[in-house]
Amino acid sequence: MSRRDRFVQWAVTATALAMVAFHMINTQVLMGSTYELQNVHLFFALVLAFLPGLAGGSRVSRIVALVLLVAGIGGTLYVGFSIDHLQMVLGFPEPIDVAVGVVLILLVIEATRRSWGLPLPIVAMVFLAYFFFGHLVPGPLYHRAFSFDYVISYLSVGLTGIYGQFLSISANQIYLFVVFGALFGVLGIDALLSELGKLAGRRLRSGPGQMSVVSSSLVGMITGASVANVAVTGAFTIPYMKKRGYSPELAGAIEATASTGGQIMPPVMGAAAFLMAFFIGIPYVDVMLVGIVPAVLFYIGVLFSVHCASLSENIDAPTERADMRAIAKGAPSFLIPLGIIIVLLIRSYAPDVAAFWAIIAALALSMLRSDRPKLSDLLHCMAGGALIGAKIAVSLAVVGLIAQTLITTGLGSKIAGLIELLSMGNIVLALLLTMIVAIILGCGVPPAAAYSLVAITAAPSLIRMGLDPLAAHFFAFYFAIMSAVTPPVAMGALAASALSRGSYMATSMKGFKLAISGFIIPFFIVFNPVARLQVEQLDLALGAIIAMPLSLIALSATLYGYLLTRLTRAERMLTGASALCAFGFMTFRQIAHLPLEWPMLVASVALFGTAVTRQVTERRSLARQGKSLSTSET
């Protein structure tokens, strides 16, 4: 590494730590107005986006990175010193304001491209083109003409668009949670997760896969980010699974799917969940509580899918015993910070304050360990979290551009109306259209950005059609999250395949199959209030407790063709019918308006029970045959 590269690396780390320090201090001492905080947040994010470009690469690329870095610093400094002026001239900016606004728009789009690739910038450019030229579009998408200065003001220097609610949420709620998640590396709980996984899966043939699911779900409770989760837990779960006989593709798929669930696992459900609280207008703790039942259901479905997939690859049960001493040693470092977050959120503290104290607790606990980490390791982990937070910040700044376009041009309400028109007032068709939109927008786009776009465009139409706002937004939220394992662009599967060295497309397809429960649960959330922790009728609530997990288990068995052993064609038909009937119990009354839920639940239990009985009988018969053969050979 050259001297220049070492200096750049040092500068990136120093800037990242300065960003962390600023946000930590701001939770205790307010360091400016909302716009000033957003601007400082954007300043750091742009610097961290372009500064690494000064190392390595060609001379031209380094010059481009330097120009972008200087432009980012200059643009944010100008906004910082001109906030009062820019608020006064909203919609009618001066020439220098327009120039700075254009620069900031281009910078956040380029920073997002460098951080997340092309999909989100392309979406942003399409919306910006519509803002400028939508008055030339005939038909219902037409909007009145806007001057160039007016558009630039509303998109950036008017302190809307880039400086909107999305960047504010990134600065005030999301950022410190991302930093806290990055501290996982110094909490000393790698051994804890590994041993808990062994404890959870020791007596099952799918034990190595179950270990990955348990480990990733626990990490997900802290990080709330699928790709980061894959990187943290996949480093030890994927090699372990491959060693036990899993194919590289299935090992990567299990890790990607389990890590994707981290974004729906309370208490830290990722950036999109904080945005949901903003859109609905409720405290984040309410979102967290409603997310408990769907998250548990998701992991029930994933655990059983992993079991079936493991049987299909003829995996043997692991023999390792869990080290209870390692579990006891690592548990406090995991549970105490997590408990602090939960208690403070329930007591209505601001999310960034809860994250602040969780970070302090994590650092203190790491120092109390006999194998305490080096200061350099601590700083490295915090800097890594700051870099991830910066990437989320620039992506949300771009979402702010798109959101402002939707609002100012009225395109958001037009798209919502189009969904209502295409669905012809049918809520099921509207939900399917919303699902397709969320999955398409999630192709290569950060989940927070994908959810935000669906929340702005599709969710309002669902609410107008009579859906509970929480149900409508959770529906959009789930499908935006599931895009991480949905081909053709599945970011979680991409990261996992890089670690497993398996085929990316095969990994993403297997991950999609493992995560099938994530595509069913959103409909439970919409059609059955029990999934939202709302009990309207006690008997239906008790029935739902049976029907929800039964439908997911029966569906997984049908897809993989395994239950206790390989399913015959008749048994597979039984489990498939059971899954349909259980799903019907959850949704039929709302869809068809016929009170047939109880016959459906009884039929589901009977069908599944028949399949299990046949499997148990077959296993006993095989065991007797094997014993007889052994006796005769003797």
Side-chain angles (χ1 to χ4, degrees), residues 362-507:
L363 293 174
L365 288 167
S366 68
M367 290 294 101
L368 294 174
R369 295 174 57 88
S370 57
D371 55 343
R372 67 175 63 89
K374 297 177 182 178
L375 179 61
S376 59
D377 293 335
L378 282 173
L379 297 179
H380 176 75
C381 283
M382 295 186 76
L387 286 167
I388 297 172
K391 290 180 179 182
I392 292 175
V394 293
S395 71
L396 290 180
V398 168
V399 171
L401 294 175
I402 298 170
Q404 193 61 47
T405 300
L406 291 166
I407 293 168
T408 307
T409 64
L411 181 60
S413 59
K414 293 172 185 175
I415 293 176
L418 184 62
I419 290 175
E420 291 182 48
L421 180 65
L422 292 175
S423 65
M424 298 174 289
N426 186 299
I427 190 64
V428 177
L429 287 177
L431 289 170
L432 293 174
L433 287 171
T434 302
M435 175 187 73
I436 294 169
V437 169
I439 291 174
I440 292 174
L441 288 175
C443 288
V445 175
Y451 161 71
S452 300
L453 297 178
V454 181
I456 295 169
T457 55
S461 66
L462 298 178
I463 295 170
R464 282 204 297 268
M465 294 174 74
L467 240 60
D468 179 85
L470 195 59
H473 281 274
F474 252 99
F475 187 88
F477 168 74
Y478 254 74
F479 282 111
I481 297 302
M482 288 301 113
S483 65
V485 287
T486 306
V489 184
M491 298 302 291
L494 183 63
S497 63
L499 290 173
S500 70
R501 299 186 179 181
S503 164
Y504 159 67
M505 188 53 67
T507 301

Side-chain angles (χ1 to χ4, degrees), residues 4-5 8-9 11-13 15 44-57 61-62 65-66 69 114 387 391:
R4 181 192 63 243
D5 291 351
V8 171
Q9 190 177 56
V12 169
T13 301
T15 304
F44 279 117
L46 291 176
V47 171
L48 290 175
F50 299 126
L51 189 56
L54 299 181
S61 67
R62 292 197 300 271
L66 179 61
L69 176 63
R114 291 180 177 229
L387 286 167
K391 290 180 179 182

